[in-house]
Amino acid sequence: MDNLKIVSAAEAVANIKSGDRVFMQGAAMTPTVLIDAMCDRHDELSDVEIMHMHTEGVAKYAEEPCSNAFNINSCFVGANVRNAVNNGNGNYIPIFLSEIHWLFRRNILPLDVALIQVSPPDKHGFCSLGTSIDVTIPAIETAKIVIAQINPHVPRTHGDGIIHIGKINFAIEVDLPIYQSIYKEPSDIERSIGKHVASLVEDGATLQMGIGGIPNVVLANLMDRKGLGIHTEMFSDGILPLVEAGVITGEYKKVKPGKIVSCFAVGSQKLYDFLDDNPGIDFKEAAYTNDTAIIRKNPKVTAINSAIEIDLTGQVCADTIGKYQFSGVGGQMDFIRGASLSEGGKAIIAMPSVTKNGMSKIVPFLKEGAGITTTRAHVHYIATEYGVVDLYGKNLKQRAKLLTSIAHPDHRESLEREVFEHFHS
């Protein structure tokens, strides 16, 4: 590691000053040792702005007493900062994932420090950003100081996420497993939804989906398909059986045919072993993976996203519960639009018909303060456990009736009354 300045965690974060804006790499690559060391300085720091997307682990900077020194200004809201963002100890920037890089590159929110996690350098002095490329590259390009957590458990991934040690100002060495997501057995409702969605996936389709019960069921029901491709913002273990079975080949993709394209991945150690030094996986920054002009070039782009609630006209709320900021805009609209413009593409919103408390997720009106993530002009397919409807080209009355047909039976009568009162039929 010639020319790489290795220091202790305390020495590394001593370079963070009061008033700085600090970026943190996220997902499985969250540099937790550096973050904790920074939080240990809460008594001597003030007005430090924290920027990130979704991070894993305990966010000490979001909790007292650290929250007195650090202020969150996040581009996505995960569970570890949700309370802080909603109780006034932080805030959220509504922005498409595809455009976050402009905040840094156009000097809208200039960065003072970037905290990242990388693999050890190879013989040429190059480290890998591992499984989370997303918006980390523009952060590294523009930050005044780059501090790296070097970890041998970080997979060396192919694509954009290569950084020379010359770009790293200070580094620490750790030897810790990176974050792994725990597989949860899908519920019966998720199984039903997943089967409905899988029925829409054609041979030769290019898939975008996240992680969780519904995407896992969709993928599990695609073993009889042929020539599927992956161009997505994220993925997890669900793709592995399809790759092993030769179902995912990417042969029909127009953008990087034969390669799985993503900007980050979260999963098990098996997934990380699969990613390590695998030239079949091309990790790109989010400015590329989520660019609608690039997405639409692929054939039959099938984008599968989720929602918190949908009103009877088709407006989709996916990031708030009323005024409560639950997550973020993310890349939903990037891929909804990209799929819609793709030749033979399908934009799909999949969700259970009711909440855990039995409240309908198909509603006459969105809750007060709810954010509209996907407009009714963009929405196409909606899937619940009771079926799939296509709203594209349908008028408001037709949409309301179609959405009512896939609502939970306990709520259909009240929705039908709303439809009748509004449309008089």
Short mmCIF file of all heavy atoms in Angstrom, two decimals, residues 182-229:
data_model
loop_
_atom_site.label_atom_id
_atom_site.label_comp_id
_atom_site.label_asym_id
_atom_site.label_seq_id
_atom_site.Cartn_x
_atom_site.Cartn_y
_atom_site.Cartn_z
N ILE A 182 -31.10 -10.43 5.45
CA ILE A 182 -31.63 -11.72 5.89
C ILE A 182 -32.84 -12.09 5.03
O ILE A 182 -33.79 -11.30 4.91
CB ILE A 182 -32.04 -11.67 7.37
CG1 ILE A 182 -30.82 -11.32 8.24
CG2 ILE A 182 -32.65 -12.99 7.82
CD1 ILE A 182 -31.16 -11.04 9.68
N TYR A 183 -32.80 -13.26 4.43
CA TYR A 183 -33.91 -13.70 3.60
C TYR A 183 -35.12 -14.00 4.47
O TYR A 183 -35.03 -14.69 5.48
CB TYR A 183 -33.52 -14.97 2.82
CG TYR A 183 -34.67 -15.58 2.03
CD1 TYR A 183 -35.03 -15.07 0.79
CD2 TYR A 183 -35.39 -16.66 2.54
CE1 TYR A 183 -36.08 -15.62 0.07
CE2 TYR A 183 -36.44 -17.21 1.83
CZ TYR A 183 -36.78 -16.69 0.60
OH TYR A 183 -37.82 -17.24 -0.10
N LYS A 184 -36.26 -13.46 4.07
CA LYS A 184 -37.51 -13.73 4.77
C LYS A 184 -38.45 -14.50 3.84
O LYS A 184 -38.62 -14.13 2.69
CB LYS A 184 -38.18 -12.42 5.21
CG LYS A 184 -37.40 -11.65 6.25
CD LYS A 184 -38.15 -10.39 6.67
CE LYS A 184 -37.37 -9.61 7.73
NZ LYS A 184 -38.07 -8.35 8.12
N GLU A 185 -39.02 -15.56 4.38
CA GLU A 185 -39.94 -16.37 3.58
C GLU A 185 -41.13 -15.51 3.16
O GLU A 185 -41.75 -14.84 3.99
CB GLU A 185 -40.44 -17.56 4.41
CG GLU A 185 -41.10 -18.66 3.59
CD GLU A 185 -40.13 -19.38 2.68
OE1 GLU A 185 -38.93 -19.47 3.01
OE2 GLU A 185 -40.58 -19.85 1.62
N PRO A 186 -41.46 -15.46 1.86
CA PRO A 186 -42.59 -14.64 1.41
C PRO A 186 -43.90 -15.07 2.05
O PRO A 186 -44.12 -16.26 2.31
CB PRO A 186 -42.62 -14.86 -0.11
CG PRO A 186 -41.25 -15.36 -0.46
CD PRO A 186 -40.79 -16.13 0.73
N SER A 187 -44.77 -14.11 2.30
CA SER A 187 -46.10 -14.42 2.83
C SER A 187 -46.99 -14.96 1.72
O SER A 187 -46.65 -14.88 0.53
CB SER A 187 -46.72 -13.15 3.42
OG SER A 187 -47.01 -12.22 2.37
N ASP A 188 -48.13 -15.50 2.10
CA ASP A 188 -49.07 -16.02 1.10
C ASP A 188 -49.53 -14.90 0.17
O ASP A 188 -49.71 -15.12 -1.04
CB ASP A 188 -50.28 -16.66 1.79
CG ASP A 188 -49.93 -17.96 2.49
OD1 ASP A 188 -48.87 -18.54 2.17
OD2 ASP A 188 -50.70 -18.39 3.37
N ILE A 189 -49.73 -13.72 0.74
CA ILE A 189 -50.15 -12.58 -0.09
C ILE A 189 -49.05 -12.21 -1.09
O ILE A 189 -49.32 -11.99 -2.28
CB ILE A 189 -50.51 -11.36 0.79
CG1 ILE A 189 -51.81 -11.64 1.55
CG2 ILE A 189 -50.63 -10.09 -0.03
CD1 ILE A 189 -52.19 -10.57 2.55
N GLU A 190 -47.80 -12.18 -0.62
CA GLU A 190 -46.69 -11.88 -1.52
C GLU A 190 -46.55 -12.94 -2.61
O GLU A 190 -46.24 -12.62 -3.77
CB GLU A 190 -45.40 -11.77 -0.72
CG GLU A 190 -45.34 -10.51 0.15
CD GLU A 190 -44.15 -10.49 1.08
OE1 GLU A 190 -43.69 -11.59 1.51
OE2 GLU A 190 -43.66 -9.39 1.40
N ARG A 191 -46.81 -14.18 -2.26
CA ARG A 191 -46.76 -15.25 -3.27
C ARG A 191 -47.81 -15.03 -4.36
O ARG A 191 -47.52 -15.19 -5.55
CB ARG A 191 -46.97 -16.62 -2.62
CG ARG A 191 -45.84 -17.05 -1.70
CD ARG A 191 -46.08 -18.45 -1.12
NE ARG A 191 -45.17 -18.75 -0.04
CZ ARG A 191 -43.91 -19.14 -0.20
NH1 ARG A 191 -43.42 -19.28 -1.41
NH2 ARG A 191 -43.15 -19.38 0.86
N SER A 192 -49.00 -14.63 -3.95
CA SER A 192 -50.07 -14.39 -4.93
C SER A 192 -49.73 -13.22 -5.84
O SER A 192 -49.88 -13.30 -7.06
CB SER A 192 -51.40 -14.11 -4.21
OG SER A 192 -51.82 -15.24 -3.48
N ILE A 193 -49.25 -12.13 -5.24
CA ILE A 193 -48.89 -10.96 -6.03
C ILE A 193 -47.76 -11.31 -7.00
O ILE A 193 -47.80 -10.96 -8.18
CB ILE A 193 -48.45 -9.80 -5.12
CG1 ILE A 193 -49.59 -9.37 -4.20
CG2 ILE A 193 -47.99 -8.60 -5.96
CD1 ILE A 193 -49.17 -8.43 -3.09
N GLY A 194 -46.74 -12.00 -6.48
CA GLY A 194 -45.60 -12.36 -7.30
C GLY A 194 -45.97 -13.20 -8.51
O GLY A 194 -45.44 -13.01 -9.61
N LYS A 195 -46.92 -14.12 -8.32
CA LYS A 195 -47.36 -14.96 -9.45
C LYS A 195 -48.09 -14.13 -10.49
O LYS A 195 -47.92 -14.33 -11.70
CB LYS A 195 -48.25 -16.08 -8.93
CG LYS A 195 -47.49 -17.16 -8.15
CD LYS A 195 -48.41 -18.23 -7.59
CE LYS A 195 -47.62 -19.26 -6.80
NZ LYS A 195 -48.50 -20.28 -6.17
N HIS A 196 -48.92 -13.18 -10.05
CA HIS A 196 -49.61 -12.30 -11.00
C HIS A 196 -48.61 -11.48 -11.81
O HIS A 196 -48.74 -11.35 -13.03
CB HIS A 196 -50.57 -11.36 -10.26
CG HIS A 196 -51.77 -12.03 -9.67
ND1 HIS A 196 -52.56 -12.90 -10.39
CD2 HIS A 196 -52.33 -11.92 -8.44
CE1 HIS A 196 -53.55 -13.33 -9.61
NE2 HIS A 196 -53.43 -12.75 -8.43
N VAL A 197 -47.61 -10.94 -11.12
CA VAL A 197 -46.61 -10.12 -11.80
C VAL A 197 -45.77 -10.97 -12.76
O VAL A 197 -45.50 -10.57 -13.89
CB VAL A 197 -45.71 -9.40 -10.78
CG1 VAL A 197 -44.55 -8.70 -11.48
CG2 VAL A 197 -46.52 -8.41 -9.95
N ALA A 198 -45.38 -12.15 -12.31
CA ALA A 198 -44.57 -13.03 -13.16
C ALA A 198 -45.27 -13.38 -14.46
O ALA A 198 -44.61 -13.57 -15.49
CB ALA A 198 -44.21 -14.30 -12.39
N SER A 199 -46.59 -13.42 -14.43
CA SER A 199 -47.35 -13.76 -15.65
C SER A 199 -47.18 -12.70 -16.74
O SER A 199 -47.46 -12.96 -17.92
CB SER A 199 -48.84 -13.93 -15.32
OG SER A 199 -49.43 -12.68 -14.99
N LEU A 200 -46.73 -11.50 -16.36
CA LEU A 200 -46.54 -10.42 -17.32
C LEU A 200 -45.16 -10.44 -17.96
O LEU A 200 -44.92 -9.73 -18.94
CB LEU A 200 -46.76 -9.06 -16.64
CG LEU A 200 -48.14 -8.79 -16.04
CD1 LEU A 200 -48.12 -7.49 -15.25
CD2 LEU A 200 -49.19 -8.73 -17.14
N VAL A 201 -44.23 -11.22 -17.40
CA VAL A 201 -42.84 -11.22 -17.88
C VAL A 201 -42.71 -12.14 -19.08
O VAL A 201 -43.01 -13.34 -19.01
CB VAL A 201 -41.87 -11.66 -16.76
CG1 VAL A 201 -40.43 -11.66 -17.29
CG2 VAL A 201 -41.99 -10.73 -15.56
N GLU A 202 -42.25 -11.59 -20.19
CA GLU A 202 -42.11 -12.36 -21.43
C GLU A 202 -40.67 -12.83 -21.63
O GLU A 202 -39.73 -12.28 -21.03
CB GLU A 202 -42.51 -11.48 -22.62
CG GLU A 202 -43.92 -10.93 -22.56
CD GLU A 202 -44.22 -10.01 -23.72
OE1 GLU A 202 -43.75 -10.31 -24.85
OE2 GLU A 202 -44.89 -8.98 -23.51
N ASP A 203 -40.50 -13.83 -22.48
CA ASP A 203 -39.16 -14.24 -22.89
C ASP A 203 -38.43 -13.03 -23.46
O ASP A 203 -39.02 -12.21 -24.18
CB ASP A 203 -39.22 -15.34 -23.95
CG ASP A 203 -39.71 -16.67 -23.41
OD1 ASP A 203 -39.75 -16.84 -22.17
OD2 ASP A 203 -40.07 -17.55 -24.23
N GLY A 204 -37.13 -12.91 -23.16
CA GLY A 204 -36.33 -11.82 -23.71
C GLY A 204 -36.50 -10.49 -23.00
O GLY A 204 -35.94 -9.49 -23.45
N ALA A 205 -37.27 -10.47 -21.91
CA ALA A 205 -37.49 -9.21 -21.19
C ALA A 205 -36.24 -8.78 -20.43
O ALA A 205 -35.40 -9.61 -20.04
CB ALA A 205 -38.66 -9.36 -20.22
N THR A 206 -36.11 -7.47 -20.21
CA THR A 206 -35.06 -6.91 -19.38
C THR A 206 -35.70 -6.47 -18.08
O THR A 206 -36.61 -5.64 -18.08
CB THR A 206 -34.39 -5.70 -20.07
OG1 THR A 206 -33.87 -6.11 -21.34
CG2 THR A 206 -33.25 -5.16 -19.21
N LEU A 207 -35.23 -7.01 -16.96
CA LEU A 207 -35.91 -6.82 -15.68
C LEU A 207 -35.27 -5.74 -14.81
O LEU A 207 -34.06 -5.59 -14.77
CB LEU A 207 -35.91 -8.13 -14.89
CG LEU A 207 -36.53 -9.35 -15.55
CD1 LEU A 207 -36.43 -10.54 -14.61
CD2 LEU A 207 -37.98 -9.10 -15.93
N GLN A 208 -36.13 -4.99 -14.12
CA GLN A 208 -35.73 -4.12 -13.01
C GLN A 208 -36.61 -4.44 -11.82
O GLN A 208 -37.84 -4.45 -11.93
CB GLN A 208 -35.89 -2.65 -13.37
CG GLN A 208 -35.60 -1.70 -12.20
CD GLN A 208 -36.85 -1.20 -11.47
OE1 GLN A 208 -37.91 -1.04 -12.07
NE2 GLN A 208 -36.73 -0.97 -10.17
N MET A 209 -36.02 -4.73 -10.70
CA MET A 209 -36.77 -4.99 -9.48
C MET A 209 -35.84 -4.85 -8.28
O MET A 209 -34.61 -4.86 -8.43
CB MET A 209 -37.39 -6.38 -9.49
CG MET A 209 -36.41 -7.52 -9.60
SD MET A 209 -37.25 -9.11 -9.69
CE MET A 209 -38.17 -8.94 -11.22
N GLY A 210 -36.42 -4.72 -7.13
CA GLY A 210 -35.63 -4.56 -5.92
C GLY A 210 -35.47 -5.88 -5.18
O GLY A 210 -35.37 -6.95 -5.77
N ILE A 211 -35.48 -5.78 -3.84
CA ILE A 211 -35.39 -6.98 -3.02
C ILE A 211 -36.64 -7.06 -2.15
O ILE A 211 -37.37 -6.09 -1.98
CB ILE A 211 -34.12 -6.98 -2.15
CG1 ILE A 211 -34.13 -5.80 -1.16
CG2 ILE A 211 -32.88 -6.93 -3.02
CD1 ILE A 211 -32.97 -5.81 -0.19
N GLY A 212 -36.89 -8.24 -1.61
CA GLY A 212 -38.05 -8.42 -0.76
C GLY A 212 -38.90 -9.58 -1.23
O GLY A 212 -38.58 -10.27 -2.20
N GLY A 213 -40.01 -9.79 -0.53
CA GLY A 213 -40.85 -10.94 -0.78
C GLY A 213 -41.42 -10.99 -2.18
O GLY A 213 -41.34 -12.03 -2.86
N ILE A 214 -42.00 -9.89 -2.66
CA ILE A 214 -42.64 -9.90 -3.98
C ILE A 214 -41.61 -10.12 -5.09
O ILE A 214 -41.81 -11.01 -5.93
CB ILE A 214 -43.46 -8.62 -4.20
CG1 ILE A 214 -44.65 -8.59 -3.23
CG2 ILE A 214 -43.95 -8.53 -5.65
CD1 ILE A 214 -45.43 -7.29 -3.24
N PRO A 215 -40.50 -9.35 -5.15
CA PRO A 215 -39.50 -9.63 -6.19
C PRO A 215 -38.97 -11.06 -6.14
O PRO A 215 -38.76 -11.68 -7.20
CB PRO A 215 -38.39 -8.61 -5.88
CG PRO A 215 -39.09 -7.50 -5.19
CD PRO A 215 -40.15 -8.15 -4.37
N ASN A 216 -38.77 -11.59 -4.94
CA ASN A 216 -38.27 -12.96 -4.84
C ASN A 216 -39.25 -13.96 -5.43
O ASN A 216 -38.85 -14.93 -6.11
CB ASN A 216 -37.99 -13.31 -3.38
CG ASN A 216 -36.72 -12.69 -2.85
OD1 ASN A 216 -35.84 -12.31 -3.63
ND2 ASN A 216 -36.61 -12.55 -1.54
N VAL A 217 -40.55 -13.76 -5.18
CA VAL A 217 -41.56 -14.66 -5.75
C VAL A 217 -41.62 -14.52 -7.26
O VAL A 217 -41.73 -15.51 -7.99
CB VAL A 217 -42.94 -14.41 -5.12
CG1 VAL A 217 -44.00 -15.26 -5.81
CG2 VAL A 217 -42.92 -14.72 -3.63
N VAL A 218 -41.56 -13.28 -7.75
CA VAL A 218 -41.56 -13.07 -9.20
C VAL A 218 -40.42 -13.85 -9.83
O VAL A 218 -40.64 -14.62 -10.79
CB VAL A 218 -41.42 -11.57 -9.54
CG1 VAL A 218 -41.26 -11.39 -11.05
CG2 VAL A 218 -42.63 -10.78 -9.05
N LEU A 219 -39.23 -13.69 -9.31
CA LEU A 219 -38.06 -14.36 -9.87
C LEU A 219 -38.19 -15.88 -9.79
O LEU A 219 -37.83 -16.60 -10.74
CB LEU A 219 -36.79 -13.90 -9.16
CG LEU A 219 -36.41 -12.43 -9.40
CD1 LEU A 219 -35.35 -11.98 -8.41
CD2 LEU A 219 -35.91 -12.23 -10.83
N ALA A 220 -38.73 -16.37 -8.69
CA ALA A 220 -38.88 -17.82 -8.52
C ALA A 220 -39.86 -18.41 -9.53
O ALA A 220 -39.80 -19.61 -9.80
CB ALA A 220 -39.35 -18.13 -7.10
N ASN A 221 -40.74 -17.58 -10.09
CA ASN A 221 -41.72 -18.06 -11.05
C ASN A 221 -41.31 -17.83 -12.51
O ASN A 221 -42.15 -17.90 -13.41
CB ASN A 221 -43.06 -17.38 -10.79
CG ASN A 221 -43.83 -18.02 -9.66
OD1 ASN A 221 -44.55 -19.01 -9.85
ND2 ASN A 221 -43.68 -17.48 -8.45
N LEU A 222 -40.02 -17.57 -12.71
CA LEU A 222 -39.55 -17.30 -14.08
C LEU A 222 -38.62 -18.37 -14.61
O LEU A 222 -37.95 -18.18 -15.63
CB LEU A 222 -38.83 -15.94 -14.11
CG LEU A 222 -39.66 -14.71 -13.73
CD1 LEU A 222 -38.80 -13.46 -13.79
CD2 LEU A 222 -40.88 -14.57 -14.65
N MET A 223 -38.58 -19.52 -13.95
CA MET A 223 -37.63 -20.56 -14.35
C MET A 223 -37.91 -21.13 -15.74
O MET A 223 -37.03 -21.74 -16.36
CB MET A 223 -37.62 -21.68 -13.31
CG MET A 223 -37.05 -21.28 -11.96
SD MET A 223 -35.30 -20.79 -12.02
CE MET A 223 -34.50 -22.38 -12.25
N ASP A 224 -39.13 -20.94 -16.25
CA ASP A 224 -39.46 -21.46 -17.59
C ASP A 224 -39.28 -20.42 -18.69
O ASP A 224 -39.59 -20.67 -19.85
CB ASP A 224 -40.89 -22.01 -17.62
CG ASP A 224 -41.93 -20.93 -17.33
OD1 ASP A 224 -41.55 -19.85 -16.81
OD2 ASP A 224 -43.12 -21.17 -17.60
N ARG A 225 -38.78 -19.22 -18.34
CA ARG A 225 -38.56 -18.18 -19.35
C ARG A 225 -37.21 -18.38 -20.03
O ARG A 225 -36.36 -19.15 -19.57
CB ARG A 225 -38.63 -16.78 -18.73
CG ARG A 225 -39.90 -16.46 -18.00
CD ARG A 225 -41.15 -16.58 -18.87
NE ARG A 225 -42.26 -15.87 -18.25
CZ ARG A 225 -43.04 -16.36 -17.29
NH1 ARG A 225 -42.82 -17.58 -16.82
NH2 ARG A 225 -44.04 -15.64 -16.81
N LYS A 226 -37.01 -17.63 -21.10
CA LYS A 226 -35.77 -17.74 -21.86
C LYS A 226 -35.20 -16.35 -22.14
O LYS A 226 -35.94 -15.41 -22.41
CB LYS A 226 -36.02 -18.47 -23.19
CG LYS A 226 -36.50 -19.90 -23.04
CD LYS A 226 -36.78 -20.52 -24.40
CE LYS A 226 -37.31 -21.95 -24.25
NZ LYS A 226 -37.65 -22.55 -25.57
N GLY A 227 -33.89 -16.25 -22.06
CA GLY A 227 -33.20 -15.05 -22.51
C GLY A 227 -33.51 -13.79 -21.73
O GLY A 227 -33.51 -12.70 -22.32
N LEU A 228 -33.74 -13.89 -20.44
CA LEU A 228 -34.00 -12.69 -19.65
C LEU A 228 -32.71 -11.91 -19.42
O LEU A 228 -31.62 -12.47 -19.39
CB LEU A 228 -34.62 -13.06 -18.30
CG LEU A 228 -35.98 -13.77 -18.33
CD1 LEU A 228 -36.46 -14.03 -16.90
CD2 LEU A 228 -37.01 -12.96 -19.10
N GLY A 229 -32.87 -10.59 -19.26
CA GLY A 229 -31.73 -9.73 -18.96
C GLY A 229 -32.01 -8.93 -17.71
O GLY A 229 -33.15 -8.82 -17.25
#
